[in-house]
Amino acid sequence: MGFLYNAGMHLKTINHHRKLVREGCFRLGLYWQGLTHDLSKYTWPELRIGIRYYRDGQSPHNGEREAVGYSTAWLHHKGRNRHHAEYWTDYTSGPGKRHIAGMRMPVKYLVEMFVDRLSASKNYRGSRYTDSDALAYYEKRKDYMIVHETTRKQLEFLLHMLAEQGEDATFTYIRRKILRNNHMEQIQHILRKRGRKT
């Protein structure tokens, strides 16, 4: 494919994804996050890689990883966007051997991460999208994600809710419970009722 074709298609993908995230964030009252989501994708370190490795239905980060062994665009992106769990990694503190670990994500970024995953599934799956797609994508990759255990439980809970109850019910839950700060207590109560380990 030529540069102009790739540039046009990559920008179309970015713009559509941002539109979906914006709509989702606006539904939840996260207006600033909806407006500023993924703006770093328009910067040259990310845009040039997106154009060069554009492939329909797949992240260009994967193309760059296949070509050079890592993705410079992803390294740039994750360090500038707080809705990615990878942004919230740091050295552990306290006694014992120090290592890289996930830090607990603030609620508003956890919610944006959920909306991002939902929107990416819609964007890449198109007319084949179902409410279980975001969970299926997560399940394939969760074992190598460095995420704080509380953040992991919260995200998994929301992805399961989306798959089982649909988008409207999940967004209602986010508005009424998560953004009112009693999310973990609600999750533990519901999981206990279902017999899942918390």
Side-chain angles (χ1 to χ4, degrees):
M1 300 287 178
F3 176 86
L4 289 179
Y5 175 83
N6 281 10
M9 294 304 291
H10 180 60
L11 285 169
K12 181 179 177 183
T13 301
I14 293 172
N15 292 339
H16 187 245
H17 174 69
R18 289 193 68 246
K19 175 181 178 285
L20 293 171
V21 172
R22 187 167 56 250
E23 290 170 352
C25 284
F26 281 17
R27 282 176 68 184
L28 298 168
L30 301 174
Y31 301 108
W32 181 249
Q33 287 170 257
L35 291 171
T36 59
H37 181 86
D38 275 357
L39 287 179
S40 70
K41 286 187 177 180
Y42 299 103
T43 62
W44 188 240
E46 294 183 39
L47 189 61
R48 70 182 178 84
I49 297 301
I51 293 169
R52 181 173 182 181
Y53 294 102
Y54 170 79
R55 289 183 285 186
D56 187 36
Q58 194 174 140
S59 170
H61 299 154
N62 293 334
E64 187 183 19
R65 283 188 192 100
E66 290 170 12
V68 299
Y70 58 93
S71 174
T72 58
W74 170 244
L75 294 173
H76 186 273
H77 186 77
K78 75 180 180 70
R80 287 157 180 81
N81 292 277
R82 295 178 183 187
H83 63 275
H84 288 292
E86 294 83 355
Y87 178 96
W88 299 94
T89 57
D90 200 353
Y91 289 104
T92 57
S93 59
K97 187 176 178 182
R98 298 184 79 188
H99 62 280
I100 297 289
M103 305 295 114
R104 187 170 178 175
M105 289 177 70
V107 169
K108 67 180 181 177
Y109 298 120
L110 164 74
V111 170
E112 186 181 354
M113 176 170 59
F114 168 78
V115 174
D116 182 46
R117 288 172 174 274
L118 164 65
S119 300
S121 294
K122 287 182 175 181
N123 201 24
Y124 284 120
R125 298 280 294 158
S127 61
R128 297 169 297 154
Y129 170 79
T130 68
D131 285 333
S132 62
D133 286 341
L135 175 61
Y137 184 85
Y138 169 81
E139 290 287 346
K140 290 178 186 175
R141 291 156 181 82
K142 69 178 183 179
D143 290 338
Y144 56 79
M145 287 178 63
I146 300 174
V147 187
H148 189 278
E149 195 55 34
T150 298
T151 298
R152 183 184 296 278
K153 286 179 182 178
Q154 291 172 315
L155 177 61
E156 289 179 358
F157 180 85
L158 291 177
L159 293 173
H160 277 280
M161 179 178 279
L162 175 66
E164 296 163 14
Q165 299 180 36
E167 186 175 322
D168 289 340
T170 308
F171 272 63
T172 298
Y173 181 86
I174 291 170
R175 281 194 311 273
R176 292 181 180 171
K177 301 294 183 183
I178 295 180
L179 297 176
R180 292 185 185 170
N181 297 319
N182 60 350
H183 180 49
M184 272 315 291
E185 293 78 10
Q186 287 290 328
I187 288 177
Q188 288 167 349
H189 174 70
I190 291 170
L191 292 181
R192 277 194 298 269
K193 283 175 65 177
R194 292 182 181 174
R196 290 185 188 170
K197 185 177 179 181
T198 60

